[in-house]
Amino acid sequence: QVQLVESGGGLVQAGGSLRLSCAASGSTFTIETIGWYRQAPGKQRELVATINSGGNTNYADSVKGRFTIPRDSAKNPVWLQMNSLKPEDTAVYYCNARVYARLMGKYLEVWGQGTLVTVSS
C-alpha cells in the first residue's frame, strides 16, 4: 500500500501565494510520475501540473507561469508553488502519483484525500 498525504491548502487573497505539499509513504515503491489535479464545485477534476522521474514537467495552460513544481520534486515530498492566485483557482487540490510497487511487482495509481484552496477576490 502507498498513501499520499497533502498539506498546505487554505484561504488566500487574489494575487497571493500558497505552497502545497504531498508526501508519499508506504511499502517499497518508486515514483514514476507525481503531481496535482483539482476539482472546483460543479466541475470535473482537471490536471494542474505533473512531474516525472526524469524531471519533466507538464502544466495546464491556465496555470503556466504562475504554478511551479520544483525540479527536484520528483522525489518525496513533492511541492506545488502557486503564485498570483486567482479566484478561479479555488478548488480541492488532489495529489496523484503513478508508482511502481516493487514488492507487488506492479504499477499503482494513488490519490490523496485532497486539500481545499480558496482564493478570495
Side-chain angles (χ1 to χ4, degrees):
Q1 285 273 353
V2 179
Q3 294 180 326
L4 302 176
V5 178
E6 303 106 330
S7 62
L11 174 65
V12 64
Q13 288 188 331
S17 298
L18 281 175
R19 188 171 69 165
L20 304 182
S21 170
C22 174
S25 64
S27 56
T28 306
F29 62 91
T30 302
I31 296 174
E32 300 292 319
T33 304
I34 191 165
W36 298 88
Y37 289 72
R38 67 186 181 187
Q39 188 166 19
K43 295 188 177 180
Q44 290 187 331
R45 192 172 296 189
E46 63 178 4
L47 179 145
V48 176
T50 61
I51 186 168
N52 65 19
S53 57
N56 299 305
T57 54
N58 181 39
Y59 295 94
D61 288 342
S62 59
V63 306
K64 283 180 180 177
R66 300 188 298 122
F67 292 10
T68 304
I69 295 181
R71 286 286 177 178
D72 60 357
S73 279
K75 301 178 182 177
N76 189 25
V78 64
W79 305 93
L80 178 67
Q81 179 65 42
M82 304 186 295
N83 298 327
S84 302
L85 283 160
K86 304 175 181 180
E88 51 264 43
D89 293 319
T90 295
V92 177
Y93 284 70
Y94 296 91
C95 185
N96 169 269
R98 174 176 166 82
V99 305
Y100 182 70
R102 295 200 287 270
L103 295 180
M104 299 173 67
K106 63 180 182 179
Y107 289 94
L108 302 174
E109 183 179 26
V110 188
W111 290 91
Q113 81 285 354
T115 185
L116 178 62
V117 172
T118 303
V119 184
S120 63
S121 58

